[in-house]
Amino acid sequence: MRFKVEKVIANHKVVAHGGIFSSGIGNDSNLLDFSSNVNPLGFPSKVRDAFKNLSQISVYPDPNSNELRTYLQKYTAIPKNQIIVGNGATEIIYNYCNAFLRKQKVLIPIPTFGEYESAAKLNGAILYYFKTMNLNENLSEFQDMIPKKNCIFLCNPNNPTGILIKRKNMLKILESAHDKSTMIFLDECFIELVPAGNESVISYLKEFDNLFILRSLTKSFGLAGLRIGYGLGNKKMIEILQKIKIPWNVSGIAQKSSIKALSDKLHLPKTLNLVRNESKFLINSISKIKGFTCYNSDTNFILIKSKIKSNQVQDKLLKKNILIRNCKTFRGLDNNFIRIAVRTHKENIKLLEALREL
């Protein structure tokens, strides 16, 4: 039987990611995963309470995640009708592109998270790239490239570089895009894991109706296995996204777990303290190892340039039950870059010992 498939779908390439299943050796409990940038302390202890009443497994979940959105309203100070919840942040990326980017021009700074490009391409978008390792240093050039009446994607802090666009610079980009009637998809999934302070532009949603902000409980609250993300935008934008999302897209367990996580007021401060100390420790220590150069990072992961090919570093570390992210799959990077997550001090020491032995 022959299937008629659009060329863009037939030629689609799945984006590579980190995580234990990317290693090829499955869910090995002995594997120390530095490839996933999740909270190094894991999930808040309160999340366990969501699993005490397992009778909810037999009940269809709230299709609109109303209770969770109420909690997110308190957490973000953004009205409930301006919040959408997704099965992970990635679902929201794809729904956004499906709703708003049909054959639009899209500008993406690279290197960055690959799903923006993937989702935009699937909807026939015409992509343009801006190569930079630190957008703060190329701000005016980037502003000049912003297309009129189209869209730009930004990741802040950026994955995989770890660089944070300062709020004053982000506001310049927002103003330029607004003047050109261009939409901004701003991924702030790691911004809660920036120890230096809050540089989010959530409070500017009222001022910029072209702005959409993506957040995730995967990174900040360690809920990667439950798949929870949320988006913030103007009321009309959220109404459209609510219409096209699949029914019951977020499980009841995931919704309850997210509410419990958001109610824990101590988890993020503890995490930020760990990230602040361990990031400095890792950068200082790895920079002293011959053949490795660390990029300064504002968040819970570090990009490293390696004289040893990245696939070789990954293979050698896997033999020691340590998984790092090979960054050759990021557009704009080559086979000389790896990325590591900031983990606990004991785990970080194991990584350092392994790197020294390479």
Side-chain angles (χ1 to χ4, degrees):
M1 181 177 180
R2 290 187 176 183
F3 295 94
K4 187 177 181 181
V5 181
E6 288 187 34
K7 188 176 180 180
V8 69
I9 295 175
N11 295 334
H12 182 68
K13 293 182 180 179
V14 177
V15 179
H17 294 290
I20 55 175
F21 292 102
S22 71
S23 67
I25 61 177
N27 189 6
D28 187 341
S29 59
N30 295 317
L31 188 66
L32 193 52
D33 184 13
F34 280 85
S35 72
S36 297
N37 307 326
V38 298
N39 190 312
L41 296 179
F43 57 84
S45 58
K46 288 186 177 182
V47 171
R48 298 182 188 278
D49 295 339
F51 290 82
K52 290 181 178 179
N53 179 19
L54 295 182
S55 62
Q56 62 187 302
I57 291 175
S58 299
V59 180
Y60 278 101
D62 176 359
N64 295 313
S65 303
N66 283 302
E67 186 180 5
L68 174 54
R69 286 164 64 217
T70 298
Y71 270 80
L72 286 169
Q73 176 175 292
K74 296 175 184 176
Y75 184 72
T76 63
I78 299 299
K80 182 179 175 180
N81 61 6
Q82 289 183 243
I83 303 172
I84 188 164
V85 177
N87 191 295
T90 305
E91 181 193 48
I92 297 174
I93 295 172
Y94 278 77
N95 284 349
Y96 180 92
C97 291
N98 188 30
F100 304 116
L101 299 188
R102 299 280 177 148
K103 299 181 180 180
Q104 291 266 28
K105 290 181 180 178
V106 174
L107 176 62
I108 303 177
I110 57 171
T112 196
F113 187 54
E115 295 295 351
Y116 314 140
E117 174 180 338
S118 178
K121 277 185 174 179
L122 273 178
N123 288 280
I126 303 166
L127 270 63
Y128 297 86
Y129 305 102
F130 184 84
K131 177 70 183 294
T132 178
M133 298 300 282
N134 186 344
L135 196 54
N136 294 295
E137 298 174 354
N138 311 105
L139 197 63
S140 60
E141 296 98 315
F142 181 74
Q143 287 175 269
D144 290 341
M145 278 192 68
I146 294 175
K148 292 182 179 179
K149 298 181 179 180
N150 285 283
C151 183
I152 61 176
F153 277 84
L154 292 171
C155 185
N156 196 38
N158 186 47
N159 177 16
T161 61
I163 297 297
L164 178 75
I165 304 170
K166 302 298 183 182
R167 185 187 286 138
K168 64 179 182 180
N169 289 337
M170 185 62 75
L171 289 175
K172 291 178 182 178
I173 296 172
L174 288 173
E175 289 166 359
S176 295
H178 192 269
D179 290 344
K180 295 180 180 182
S181 300
T182 288
M183 296 185 294
I184 291 187
F185 185 104
L186 176 58
D187 184 341
E188 287 191 347
C189 284
F190 290 103
I191 207 157
E192 291 163 298
L193 295 174
V194 175
N198 181 16
E199 293 288 325
S200 172
V201 292
I202 277 184
S203 60
Y204 290 88
L205 278 167
K206 290 181 181 178
E207 188 173 337
F208 296 99
D209 61 358
N210 60 325
L211 175 62
F212 181 85
I213 295 177
L214 183 70
R215 287 286 189 90
S216 170
L217 277 77
T218 295
K219 315 300 188 300
S220 50
F221 291 99
L223 301 181
L226 291 177
R227 312 305 306 131
I228 283 284
Y230 61 97
L232 309 157
N234 68 63
K235 183 180 177 182
K236 187 179 293 185
M237 191 181 291
I238 298 301
E239 286 176 353
I240 293 170
L241 291 173
Q242 288 280 22
K243 285 181 180 180
I244 69 166
K245 73 174 182 61
I246 63 170
W248 311 294
N249 63 324
V250 180
S251 74
I253 288 283
Q255 292 180 40
K256 292 292 183 184
S257 296
S258 299
I259 290 168
K260 294 293 182 181
L262 289 167
S263 68
D264 191 316
K265 306 300 181 184
L266 299 177
H267 197 66
L268 275 180
K270 287 180 181 178
T271 302
L272 288 172
N273 187 55
L274 185 150
V275 170
R276 180 185 297 107
N277 295 331
E278 291 303 311
S279 180
K280 290 179 182 178
F281 170 70
L282 281 170
I283 290 173
N284 290 337
S285 301
I286 294 173
S287 296
K288 295 175 183 177
I289 302 174
K290 187 177 180 180
F292 295 105
T293 303
C294 291
Y295 284 77
N296 287 324
S297 173
D298 293 299
T299 188
N300 67 318
F301 54 87
I302 302 164
L303 182 67
I304 303 169
K305 190 167 186 178
S306 169
K307 287 188 178 180
I308 308 171
K309 296 301 181 183
S310 55
N311 59 308
Q312 294 177 18
V313 176
Q314 187 177 54
D315 291 343
K316 289 179 180 180
L317 289 178
L318 266 177
K319 292 177 181 177
K320 301 175 183 292
N321 285 324
I322 294 175
L323 176 64
I324 52 91
R325 179 69 159 90
N326 180 351
C327 291
K328 71 175 183 178
T329 55
F330 282 93
R331 184 182 291 277
L333 296 181
D334 57 26
N335 200 19
N336 287 103
F337 289 88
I338 62 172
R339 190 195 67 201
I340 61 167
V342 175
R343 294 183 64 97
T344 65
H345 189 68
K346 184 178 180 180
E347 293 167 330
N348 293 336
I349 287 175
K350 287 183 179 180
L351 172 65
L352 289 172
E353 289 174 349
L355 287 173
R356 291 184 184 119
E357 293 172 0
L358 293 183

